[in-house]
Amino acid sequence: MKTFEQTVIHLGAPTLCGVKPSSLVSVSKEVLFCEYKKILLWNKILEDGQKKIKIARRGENLFLLFIYDEKLVQKILSKPEVLSYLNLKGYFTDNGISNVLNELLKRLSYCEIFPHEIGIFLGYPLEDVVGYEKYSGTKTKFSGAWAVYGNVAEAVKKMELYKKCSALCSSLLEAGNNFEAICKTINFM
């Protein structure tokens, strides 16, 4: 069984490496309470790289760690087609990144089913997010880290990059590096 640190580093690696706008990690209420000080410390470490960890409650005993890269999320939110989609979903996109993310976290906390637009923030192409929403995960061209409805070659390339980031960060942790050392290493590569 993986430790809290192993899980966060493995699942959050593509975001920590700066190639994925955000990652989600599910943790139990008990784990969150035990590791809360560590999350606060990690947020201080991540500040320089414009990355953050926010917490969303997901039910009675489950929480989500939303790890994100501000620059990459901002880049996504600069695309007119993404803004249009999010506006249709009821987001007020002209109020800035902070308000958009707060709305997303609120929806993650209070919506019974996952809001489909989470895919946008996780770096999935808009075409794939809309396709998943329309076809409920069926009629895909390819399935991997997400359901692909658009460009399979590009999606597979991205998925492979995400796997490489996870493998790299996990191996750095196994070699005895802590979270801070891993972040410094990957930011200078």
Side-chain angles (χ1 to χ4, degrees):
M1 189 162 157
K2 287 187 176 182
T3 66
F4 173 73
E5 193 165 17
Q6 288 170 324
T7 301
V8 171
I9 287 172
H10 180 76
L11 295 175
T15 303
L16 297 173
C17 287
V19 298
K20 187 174 191 266
S22 69
S23 301
L24 281 176
V25 179
S26 296
V27 296
S28 69
K29 182 179 183 177
E30 180 183 351
V31 169
L32 179 71
F33 289 167
C34 288
E35 303 293 354
Y36 189 72
K37 285 183 181 177
K38 189 178 281 184
I39 295 167
L40 293 176
L41 172 65
W42 289 352
N43 261 323
K44 286 189 184 299
I45 293 166
L46 293 172
E47 277 177 340
D48 292 342
Q50 290 187 303
K51 295 176 179 85
K52 293 182 183 170
I53 302 172
K54 291 202 176 204
I55 301 167
R57 187 178 196 118
R58 187 80 186 146
E60 185 63 31
N61 294 307
L62 187 65
F63 288 81
L64 296 171
L65 302 182
F66 181 73
I67 304 164
Y68 70 99
D69 182 314
E70 277 189 272
K71 290 181 284 189
L72 294 179
V73 171
Q74 190 61 56
K75 186 175 177 181
I76 288 168
L77 294 178
S78 70
K79 297 178 181 178
E81 64 276 13
V82 169
L83 292 176
S84 233
Y85 172 78
L86 291 174
N87 284 329
L88 285 172
K89 292 288 188 181
Y91 286 79
F92 297 104
T93 57
D94 54 349
N95 291 343
I97 184 175
S98 185
N99 287 323
V100 172
L101 290 177
N102 285 337
E103 179 63 26
L104 174 67
L105 293 173
K106 191 166 49 171
R107 291 178 186 205
L108 285 170
S109 294
Y110 299 111
C111 294
E112 200 168 298
I113 54 174
F114 253 56
H116 290 288
E117 63 272 14
I118 186 68
I120 295 294
F121 298 93
L122 293 172
Y124 309 156
L126 180 59
E127 184 177 12
D128 295 344
V129 173
V130 171
Y132 186 86
E133 192 171 7
K134 183 176 180 179
Y135 299 111
S136 300
T138 64
K139 300 182 183 183
T140 61
K141 292 180 181 178
F142 179 81
S143 286
W146 68 89
V148 180
Y149 292 87
N151 188 325
V152 174
E154 280 298 311
V156 168
K157 191 173 156 183
K158 236 186 215 187
M159 289 178 204
E160 288 302 316
L161 179 59
Y162 295 169
K163 284 181 190 175
K164 285 179 183 176
C165 291
S166 293
L168 170 67
C169 290
S170 293
S171 69
L172 288 169
L173 182 64
E174 288 170 18
N177 294 285
N178 64 15
F179 186 86
E180 185 173 15
I182 292 168
C183 289
K184 283 181 181 175
T185 300
I186 59 179
N187 281 330
F188 294 112
M189 296 182 106

